[in-house]
Amino acid sequence: MEDSVFTKIIKGEVPCHKVFEDEFCMVFLDIHPLTEGHALVVAKKQIEFVWDLPDEDYQAIMKTAKRVALKLREVIGTQYVSERIVGVDVPHAHVQLIPFNDPSELSKQQDMESEPDHEALASLAKKLSF
């Protein structure tokens, strides 16, 4: 199986703005965030669907997602954090965490064309890291 972009990030072949890493997953900021703090909790095992992960990996990802969501609310100051498992953008099990205050923020489209603000992402990743 060809490595997904997430596997390449986990291997260090593609740079990222890392927030957390353990034996089961890695958390990094989306370079084209829907909202400030849009983070991805990615399984270290390249398995396409979250539901196909071994129970231990699934539970670790969900536990990490909760920790990151709480940290996002604290650092970003939003009232809510959306948790999405979509699975069609990258064929690699992951959870998206998207901070927001108004539900309309979740219906926006990601701007995939603009150049990422790596300085702002690096600064935010540092504040969110644990």
Side-chain angles (χ1 to χ4, degrees):
M1 175 188 316
E2 184 176 324
D3 284 351
S4 74
V5 67
F6 291 163
T7 295
K8 291 176 183 177
I9 289 170
I10 291 164
K11 289 180 174 180
E13 297 169 2
V14 172
C16 73
H17 299 284
K18 185 169 40 173
V19 172
F20 174 80
E21 182 175 13
D22 68 11
E23 65 186 281
F24 297 103
C25 63
M26 179 185 280
V27 181
F28 50 88
L29 296 176
D30 193 308
I31 62 169
H32 297 290
L34 186 63
T35 64
E36 180 186 20
H38 184 167
L40 305 171
V41 183
V42 180
K44 286 232 175 139
K45 293 178 181 169
Q46 185 173 317
I47 294 173
E48 185 170 3
F49 301 109
V50 168
W51 319 120
D52 293 333
L53 288 169
D55 288 347
E56 186 177 29
D57 296 70
Y58 176 82
Q59 291 164 358
I61 286 171
M62 290 305 164
K63 183 177 179 181
T64 299
K66 179 179 178 178
R67 289 179 67 194
V68 174
L70 292 171
K71 187 77 170 183
L72 284 166
R73 280 195 341 207
E74 174 191 324
V75 172
I76 305 289
T78 57
Q79 187 172 3
Y80 306 104
V81 177
S82 172
E83 180 180 77
R84 292 182 178 176
I85 299 174
V86 181
V88 296
D89 47 348
V90 178
H92 189 131
H94 65 288
V95 174
Q96 294 184 44
L97 298 174
I98 306 168
F100 71 101
N101 286 310
D102 187 287
S104 66
E105 295 174 83
L106 299 175
S107 60
K108 298 185 320 182
Q109 293 295 314
Q110 285 180 268
D111 179 1
M112 305 300 279
E113 302 301 318
S114 66
E115 185 63 31
D117 184 345
H118 290 290
E119 188 174 313
L121 290 167
S123 175
L124 182 55
K126 187 175 182 178
K127 291 175 189 172
L128 292 169
S129 292
F130 60 95

